Amino acid sequence: MKYNSELRQDLVSGDWIVIAPKRNLRPHQFAGKDRRVKAPKAGCPFEDLAKSGHEIISVYQKKKSKSWDVQIVKNKFPALDHGNICAIKTREGPYSMIEGRGYQDMVIPKNHDKNFSQLDAESANLIFRAFQDRYRFFASDSCLAYVSIFQNWGPKAGASIYHPHYQMIAIPVVPPDVNHSLSGSARYFAKNKACVHCAMIEWEKKNGTRIIKENKGAIAFAPYVSREPFEMRIFPKKHLAYFEDEKEEDFKWVVGLLQESLSRMKIKLKDPDYNFFIHTAPISEKSKHSHYHWHIEILPKISISAGFELGTGIEITVVDPDEAAKILRS
Ligand SMILES: [Zn+2]
Ligand SMILES: [Zn+2]
């Protein structure tokens, strides 16, 4: 391997992957365990971030508090490192490759014991403020193309540390799933002069069977085409392509509904491991993607992809999304 980490493009599909051998060095509290067990506070690397050698980027406090509540820090074992120059695309025989340049940061709330759904509204909103502040910094960097924001909760979802935390990875290419989503929504827009996500929201509201919960500014529903049992999507009701442009007064509706949806999943589905992530229009070629509609996807780790799924890309979902919504709504 030429660099610390590399993005490599599949010659046939055009999709990108990252090769990052150094990620193997990170500590793993769940090593050898397939069940999520609560790690004690003593020895938790996120209790004193400076002491455990994390480079701190920003600190957020609650209005009536003098100590930190949320911090943004650099990942100590990043798959990508930014450096001073933009990533350079090179070739190796027929293959294309980009040096692994970008950012891999973490947003860490102080609370070791409470996951996102259990935090008070102020803390939950501070996490999203941290996301947006850091996102805006990435968006001003012309070397970068996309920022992925997500939470891994539990070992089945890929978490290596118990203490609830969130990640932000900024990369120099637009990832395959986002590309598919962008081209699909662009196609729909060209044909119907409307946002495909707004059309889905409108139909789901009219139909009602897959809605889990809605509030003034956001809606959560089980998607008609659900890739996993109990998959959930949360959309801001106002059409907006870009996460970085969401107004603070509108964020609270999405944040509140994310807490509510995760809380319902915890209670109704016996607290499964899960991933949630944000899908938004990329930071590169910004003006091109106003037809997109940013949103959050929640995927509980309930089923395992097997040969058919891996071989075809067709997921077999064993719970009807109508039934999933009914259970989560009740
Ligand atoms: Zn902790
Ligand atoms: Zn829309």
Side-chain angles (χ1 to χ4, degrees), residues 4-44:
N4 277 339
S5 71
E6 291 176 4
L7 286 116
R8 292 183 182 173
Q9 188 171 32
D10 190 291
L11 191 57
V12 185
S13 68
D15 291 348
W16 292 92
I17 56 109
V18 180
I19 310 260
K22 281 199 173 162
R23 289 283 291 155
N24 249 333
L25 301 173
R26 71 200 157 133
H28 212 303
Q29 291 182 326
F30 301 117
K33 296 174 185 132
D34 60 352
R35 275 188 53 235
R36 191 177 71 238
V37 276
K38 189 172 172 176
K41 256 191 192 180
C44 169

Side-chain angles (χ1 to χ4, degrees), residues 170-330:
I171 52 175
V173 298
V174 177
D177 283 4
V178 175
N179 249 335
H180 298 161
S181 210
L182 285 170
S183 55
S185 58
R187 238 182 353 255
Y188 186 93
F189 189 84
K191 200 173 158 197
N192 302 288
K193 299 280 164 281
C195 160
V196 65
H197 303 285
C198 284
M200 271 194 277
I201 293 167
E202 200 185 319
W203 169 255
E204 294 301 337
K205 282 183 72 158
K206 202 154 82 184
N207 177 275
T209 54
R210 281 176 296 272
I211 292 183
I212 295 155
K213 181 91 182 173
E214 62 177 308
N215 59 30
K216 198 177 153 217
I219 184 164
F221 58 85
Y224 179 74
V225 179
S226 196
R227 291 163 295 177
E228 296 274 350
F230 300 98
E231 178 178 347
M232 289 183 261
R233 293 200 191 153
I234 299 173
F235 284 85
K237 285 183 182 170
K238 246 189 239 169
H239 177 84
L240 184 65
Y242 304 100
F243 174 77
E244 67 270 38
D245 294 342
E246 191 63 84
K247 291 193 186 79
E248 202 172 345
E249 66 264 30
D250 292 327
F251 251 138
K252 65 172 187 284
W253 301 112
V254 178
V255 174
L257 204 52
L258 177 59
Q259 286 198 284
E260 169 87 32
S261 304
L262 291 173
S263 168
R264 280 167 186 263
M265 194 172 78
K266 184 177 159 70
I267 296 162
K268 307 282 176 187
L269 307 182
K270 300 200 176 85
D271 199 11
D273 291 0
Y274 67 80
N275 305 97
F276 81 66
F277 48 84
I278 293 171
H279 266 176
T280 173
I283 53 181
S284 58
E285 300 185 292
K286 184 159 173 175
S287 58
K288 267 186 162 182
H289 304 294
S290 56
H291 54 79
Y292 198 64
H293 195 134
W294 86 267
H295 60 275
I296 300 173
E297 304 192 8
I298 306 169
L299 288 161
K301 282 285 171 199
I302 290 173
S303 61
I304 295 168
S305 290
F308 180 69
E309 284 90 339
L310 296 169
T312 61
I314 298 176
E315 303 291 339
I316 300 178
T317 303
V318 294
V319 181
D320 180 342
D322 291 35
E323 190 56 31
K326 202 168 146 190
I327 291 166
L328 290 163
R329 195 167 52 223
S330 66

